[in-house]
Amino acid sequence: QVHLVESGGGLVQAGASLRLSCAASGRTFGTNAMGWFRQAPGKERSFVAAIPYSGVTIYADSVKGRFTLSRDNAKNTMYLQMNSLKPEDTAIYYCAAREGWGTSTDRFSYKYWGQGTQVTVSS
């Protein structure tokens, strides 16, 4: 079992930056692909970014060039650096982990989920 805890959300103005963290516990997640999804009010949970154990990180078009995903396997922690935030980035952000090393944009392929952290961007 993998337990995921997100942190780092908050209320910021448009153009600001935030860094989200996802700490994993329960067992090491060294070979698991990890990802971030977000859910705005009244909308479905959508893909933000995903990172394999090693290899190419993938991003949603809406965040490409503004968000950077990284992981520290020694610390069992994943980070999402969010720059140039926009009001449309406002959502609850969820950390997720898959069984297996490959990334995916499909939220149903992720087995483990955190409780979410709120990000609010004011205009």
Side-chain angles (χ1 to χ4, degrees):
Q1 186 73 13
V2 175
H3 183 58
L4 304 174
V5 178
E6 303 96 335
S7 61
L11 170 63
V12 297
Q13 290 188 329
S17 298
L18 279 175
R19 190 176 81 155
L20 304 183
S21 298
C22 172
S25 62
R27 66 175 173 87
T28 58
F29 74 150
T31 58
N32 295 76
M34 305 284 293
W36 286 95
F37 290 77
R38 65 188 181 185
Q39 188 166 17
K43 295 188 177 181
E44 291 190 351
R45 194 169 299 188
S46 63
F47 171 75
V48 175
I51 186 168
Y53 171 71
S54 64
V56 178
T57 301
I58 58 174
Y59 298 91
D61 287 343
S62 59
V63 307
K64 204 171 292 183
R66 299 187 298 123
F67 290 10
T68 302
L69 181 57
S70 62
R71 64 190 291 171
D72 185 336
N73 291 330
K75 295 182 178 179
N76 279 0
T77 303
M78 176 176 65
Y79 306 97
L80 183 66
Q81 178 66 42
M82 306 186 296
N83 298 329
S84 303
L85 282 162
K86 304 175 181 179
E88 50 264 44
D89 294 319
T90 295
I92 300 174
Y93 282 70
Y94 296 91
C95 166
R98 303 184 71 218
E99 293 284 6
W101 58 268
T103 55
S104 173
T105 62
D106 179 6
R107 69 181 189 268
F108 297 108
S109 73
Y110 288 78
K111 182 175 181 179
Y112 305 103
W113 291 87
Q115 81 290 350
T117 185
Q118 177 71 48
V119 171
T120 303
V121 184
S122 64
S123 57

